[in-house]
């Protein structure tokens, strides 16, 4: 059954150079990068906290900027955001050998450039950084439709307490994590068919310790599972794009958290359930099907349109260059970044993590500031500007 929506004129509430949809780590990096290139930037976020999964989702581990052999591979805003996340202290994983420019080289070979930050402090620090740099933030606002003309996005339709409104820009960055804007605008997208197992991370105070519990942590791409392991794993899978399913996942996670918490006793002055995630902890849902789809076998592959490098958080050694073509599809002024760029299912597990989201966010934001026609952008101009912002592009530069 369907109902017919009454067609209505929607007021244009603002005009910008660049609109970034989604204020997770990728969106923060994109907004900063576009703003630093001189663009007037609006960052639209559906919740009331910056950081996405990293803060509201309690995924407070900023995975490595290095290759695990002592070599840093991700630079620029990816490094800056790690530093900001622990500027007022860290919860765990002291990265001091890396944070200190004179840090011990031998220690760096044996430890990774990663850290654990406090979700709320990090979210507020990112918000303050964005405001200081002149990014406009619009909280409590969901992007729910896109107006497309001549292969370009003209406006995003939003919904919030003021009702339905439109925002126009020269270029747009989809940092929603779920490729919502790409989907709404009719660009090509792919779904994550393996599905996500339930995760229910939470913070607890118990016996004088404040700790993150990473429940439901383990899953790997199907490609790396033996047939026996695959057959044995009968956990329910979630696609992550259906409102009712996400509600079911959230309620299930809450139930598991309460069970785990109560297994150590009830609430008293030495025992408290401090924080649960306020966004569903879903890793991979929908991504852009872009001009290039990067796969996990392309280790140390040279791409002449590389916009930055990343490591593999799962193992020491591999380094990847990220081709700019993974960040856009058919529409000429829409880029994707973060966990919804164009990669294979196996590579997705490598590119979805926080440092990679920052690397791709920086590139997407800058490109959006430089042009309203990505297909005609001179990649050398983008690369030159990324280099000026401290990014290293190719493996032979390390
Ligand atoms: C259980 C779990 C464990 C993980 N473990 C780690 C880890 O240890 N370390 C690590 O580095 N990474 C980890 N990750 C991955 C990582 O946290 C995320 O993939 C990464 O933070 C994604 O960043 P993002 O900015 O691309 O997307 P998100 O963090 O998803 O941000 C998207 C933002 O867009 C907003 N948004 C979405 N749709 C709309 C819309 N239509 N309109 C307006 N706003 C919208 C959301 O509210 C959100 O703020 C984990 C993920 C999960 C689920």
């Amino acid at each position: 059954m369907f109902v017919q929506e009454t067609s209505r004129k929607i007021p244009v509430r603002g005009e910008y150079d660049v609109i970034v949809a989604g204020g997770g780590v990728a969106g923060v990096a994109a907004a900063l990068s576009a703003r630093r290139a001189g663009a007037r930037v609006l960052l639209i976020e559906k919740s009331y906290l910056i950081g996405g999964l990293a803060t509201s989702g309690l995924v407070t581990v900023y995975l490595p900027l290095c290759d695990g052999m002592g070599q840093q591979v991700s630079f620029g805003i990816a490094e800056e955001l790690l530093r900001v996340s622990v500027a007022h202290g860290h919860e765990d994983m002291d990265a001091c050998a890396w944070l200190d420019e004179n840090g011990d080289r031998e220690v760096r070979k044996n430890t990774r450039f990663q850290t654990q930050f406090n979700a709320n402090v990090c979210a507020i620090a990112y918000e303050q950084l964005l405001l200081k740099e002149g990014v406009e933030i619009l909280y409590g606002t969901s992007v729910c439709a896109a107006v497309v003309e001549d292969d370009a996005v003209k406006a995003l339709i939003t919904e919030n307490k003021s009702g339905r409104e439109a925002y126009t820009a020269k270029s747009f960055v989809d940092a929603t994590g779920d490729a919502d804007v790409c989907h709404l605008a009719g660009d090509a997208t792919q779904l994550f068919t393996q599905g996500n197992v339930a995760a229910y991370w939470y913070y607890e105070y118990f016996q004088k310790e404040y700790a993150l519990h990473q429940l439901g942590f383990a899953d790997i791409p199907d490609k790396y599972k033996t047939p026996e392991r695959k057959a044995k794993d009968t956990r329910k899978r979630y696609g992550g794009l259906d409102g009712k399913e996400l509600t079911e996942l959230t309620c299930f996670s809450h139930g598991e958290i309460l069970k785990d918490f109560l297994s150590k006793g009830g609430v008293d002055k030495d025992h408290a359930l401090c924080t649960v995630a306020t966004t569903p902890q879903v890793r991979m849902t929908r991504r852009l099907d872009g001009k290039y789809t990067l796969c996990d076998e392309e280790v140390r592959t040279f791409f002449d349109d590389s916009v930055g490098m990343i490591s593999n958080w799962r193992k020491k050694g591999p380094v990847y260059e990220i081709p700019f073509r993974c960040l856009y599809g058919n529409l000429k002024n829409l880029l994707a970044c973060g966990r919804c760029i164009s990669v294979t299912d196996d590579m997705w597990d490598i590119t979805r993590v926080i440092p990679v989201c920052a690397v791709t966010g920086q590139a997407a934001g800058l490109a959006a500031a430089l042009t309203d026609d990505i297909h005609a952008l001179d990649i050398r101009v983008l690369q030159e500007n990324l280099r000026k912002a401290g990014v290293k592009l190719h493996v032979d530069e390390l």
Side-chain angles (χ1 to χ4, degrees), residues 63-121:
L63 280 169
L65 299 169
C66 71
D67 66 356
M69 329 270 278
Q71 178 64 58
Q72 184 176 344
V73 303
S74 302
F75 299 85
I77 291 180
E79 179 180 346
E80 179 183 349
L81 292 184
L82 181 146
R83 287 179 183 276
V84 173
S85 76
V86 289
H88 305 292
H90 61 275
E91 287 188 352
D92 202 357
M93 298 185 191
D94 191 350
C96 64
W98 289 96
L99 292 170
D100 174 358
E101 64 177 54
N102 300 314
D104 190 318
R105 311 252 145 209
E106 283 310 306
V107 176
R108 287 185 184 185
K109 281 187 191 156
N110 301 315
T111 58
R112 296 199 77 169
F113 192 171
Q114 62 184 2
T115 191
Q116 188 177 325
F117 53 86
N118 179 270
N120 293 336
V121 172

Side-chain angles (χ1 to χ4, degrees), residues 18 28-41 76-81 84 126 128-130 132-135 362 365-366 369-370 385 388-390:
V18 173
V28 172
L32 283 175
S33 181
R35 180 72 196 126
R36 286 172 185 172
R40 209 175 145 231
V41 181
I77 291 180
E79 179 180 346
E80 179 183 349
L81 292 184
V84 173
Y126 285 178
Q128 289 189 343
L129 176 63
L130 290 162
K132 191 177 91 191
E133 302 243 356
V135 171
Q362 179 167 12
L366 181 55
L370 290 176
N385 279 281
K388 274 193 208 145

Side-chain angles (χ1 to χ4, degrees), residues 8-17 19 40 42 44 138 147 149 154-158 160 162-170 172:
R8 51 184 158 163
K9 283 201 172 145
I10 295 174
V12 174
R13 187 73 189 267
E15 293 170 36
Y16 292 85
D17 297 321
I19 291 180
R40 209 175 145 231
L42 178 69
I44 300 176
L138 185 63
V147 179
E149 280 169 27
K154 294 289 170 213
L156 294 183
I157 311 293
T158 59
N160 62 17
S162 345
R164 277 205 167 194
E165 295 172 328
Y167 288 87
T168 65
K170 293 176 189 146
F172 298 82

